[in-house]
Amino acid sequence: MKNFSRQSNPQSPEVENPNIQEEKTEQHIGEERARCDWEFTLSTVVTSSFAGASTDTIGVIEFDPSDNLVVTGGIARKIRVYSVKSLLPCENRSHGEHNFKSLQHNNACDYYIWTPAKLSSLRWKPGSSGRVLGSGDYDGVVTEYDLDRKIPIFERDEHGGRRIWSVDYSHWDPFVGASGSDDGTMQMWDPRCEGTTNVAKVRPSAGGAAVCCVEFNPFGGPLVTVGCADRRAYGYDVRKMVDPVLIFDGHQKPLTYVRFLDEHMMVTSGTDGCLRLWSVHDARMIRVYMGHMNTRNFVGLSVWRTGGLLGCGSENNHVFVYDKRWGEPIWVHEFGGGSRDGCDPKFVSSVCWRQVDENGCTLVAGGSDGSLRVIVGKRRAF
């Protein structure tokens, strides 16, 4: 039998094109350098009083604007508030190493606020000096809490009892909020206005697919992006909420998270097991990140804008860190194996970066068993 590949190409298949080989070598060197840029260490583990408590699954983690507080929410129907100082051990300055901490929620938590329903989303309200926290819950209700008084100060049934997956606030107009729901709509509302009138309401997917995530441009522009179970993300101009001005199409399964990386790029996550980097100017896909496992759950997505790092959870109970420049993870940490008392396997369900410093970073990850892990990273000196 004739070997057409050998006859039509003077180079045998075993001999790779030198230019391609050089490009791959440069890429490999770059990836290895990215891995060497950072040294990550597990700093603190916070666990529930009941081992493997599936009723304590953490669905969302958020740092406050000052990066001094961390809040969590989820299945347990409570907002837990932690001070960052209580979660981070003191640095051993003589050796440059961190002392490991093991805590329980009831000791590590400064205080908590009971909520009437399970929580899916938390966001700090801009302009409130870290005092007002907005939430979306499984009963379709948006609630704002005053953390100083520990009471709700605004409540709105946005979606007729259908589960809210995501809430966010505009940085272009600090008073406007938005929520996305199982009912297939993204609704914008103004807490200054009484009654049930919406500022705007859109149904991005023609088939009414659930809206899984909403994020306004945090850099002050009028763009709001909406991720849907129809595998797409849609960008709207808040000044004219009629048709999307951008459509981000590339995921093969439901799109679960949208996060702006900077003024020019954003990252999406989907249950097709990958992250995708996009241009927010023309919806062009720039890069795909693969390595974590995600086929059915919300596993969290967070971006550290200062250092260009991405963090996400995984259904194999690992947390993954990617450098925006490379498609493969630069660091992976295992939460621990096993299942929850014979139920579904445990997985990492939420992550959040602390947006401070240039040469050091902090990532907080939460699990489906209710545990929290605090990971610190240091940039290596070369």
Side-chain angles (χ1 to χ4, degrees), residues 57-100:
T57 297
I58 296 172
V60 58
I61 304 169
E62 288 287 328
F63 280 93
D64 80 320
S66 70
D67 286 303
N68 292 318
L69 295 177
V70 181
V71 294
T72 67
I75 303 300
R77 304 191 182 201
K78 63 176 71 171
I79 298 170
R80 291 190 176 106
V81 182
Y82 307 82
S83 66
V84 172
K85 289 183 178 179
S86 70
L87 295 180
L88 288 175
C90 296
E91 189 173 351
N92 185 334
R93 299 187 183 276
S94 60
H95 296 90
E97 297 178 351
H98 288 273
N99 298 319
F100 177 80

Side-chain angles (χ1 to χ4, degrees), residues 72-347:
T72 67
I75 303 300
R77 304 191 182 201
K78 63 176 71 171
I79 298 170
R80 291 190 176 106
V81 182
Y82 307 82
S83 66
V84 172
K85 289 183 178 179
S86 70
L87 295 180
L88 288 175
C90 296
E91 189 173 351
N92 185 334
R93 299 187 183 276
S94 60
H95 296 90
E97 297 178 351
H98 288 273
N99 298 319
F100 177 80
K101 263 190 178 182
S102 181
L103 305 169
Q104 288 194 344
H105 286 298
N106 55 358
N107 296 323
C109 179
D110 288 4
Y111 62 90
Y112 58 85
I113 301 172
W114 286 104
T115 63
K118 301 172 184 177
L119 297 176
S120 55
S121 184
L122 295 170
R123 276 299 167 96
W124 297 92
K125 185 176 180 180
S128 70
S129 301
R131 184 174 62 88
V132 178
L133 183 69
S135 72
D137 66 31
Y138 279 37
D139 290 346
V141 178
V142 172
T143 307
E144 291 184 350
Y145 292 90
D146 183 320
L147 295 194
D148 286 346
R149 295 184 288 166
K150 303 179 181 61
I151 59 171
I153 56 174
F154 170 80
E155 186 175 288
R156 188 182 186 95
D157 186 351
E158 286 296 303
H159 299 275
R162 300 292 297 275
R163 182 182 304 184
I164 291 175
W165 287 116
S166 180
V167 296
D168 195 23
Y169 290 97
S170 171
H171 296 259
W172 188 65
D173 182 344
F175 295 100
V176 176
S179 53
S181 167
D182 264 345
D183 68 357
T185 69
M186 186 274 284
Q187 301 188 26
M188 289 175 56
W189 32 268
D190 190 334
R192 297 170 296 182
C193 301
E194 296 183 359
T196 59
T197 304
N198 296 305
V199 174
K201 177 180 177 179
V202 295
R203 189 178 296 273
S205 171
V211 174
C212 301
C213 50
V214 177
E215 181 154 293
F216 288 93
N217 183 347
F219 301 97
L223 185 68
V224 58
T225 53
V226 182
C228 294
D230 70 353
R231 310 175 184 182
R232 297 178 177 90
Y234 302 83
Y236 290 88
D237 187 320
V238 299
R239 297 167 296 187
K240 190 178 181 181
M241 298 285 291
V242 180
D243 297 316
V245 295
L246 294 167
I247 298 179
F248 304 85
D249 190 357
H251 282 280
Q252 302 303 308
K253 287 188 176 182
L255 196 151
T256 50
Y257 295 95
V258 174
R259 296 288 183 263
F260 281 84
L261 182 59
D262 56 33
E263 297 179 59
H264 309 288
M265 296 181 290
M266 75 174 197
V267 183
T268 59
S269 175
T271 54
D272 53 359
C274 68
L275 313 179
R276 295 177 186 269
L277 181 67
W278 307 84
S279 164
V280 297
H281 302 299
D282 56 10
R284 174 177 52 88
M285 187 168 61
I286 301 170
R287 187 165 293 114
V288 179
Y289 306 90
M290 299 182 68
H292 62 286
M293 294 177 58
N294 188 196
T295 60
R296 55 177 293 187
N297 298 293
F298 287 75
V299 297
L301 171 66
S302 184
V303 297
W304 181 40
R305 300 185 179 102
T306 305
L309 300 182
L310 321 176
C312 70
S314 177
E315 288 168 353
N316 64 356
N317 215 26
H318 290 65
V319 60
F320 283 70
V321 175
Y322 295 90
D323 187 300
K324 69 178 183 180
R325 299 169 292 178
W326 319 113
E328 295 183 356
I330 62 169
W331 190 76
V332 180
H333 171 72
E334 183 179 4
F335 262 47
S339 62
R340 301 178 303 190
D341 302 326
C343 299
D344 293 337
K346 294 186 289 185
F347 62 95

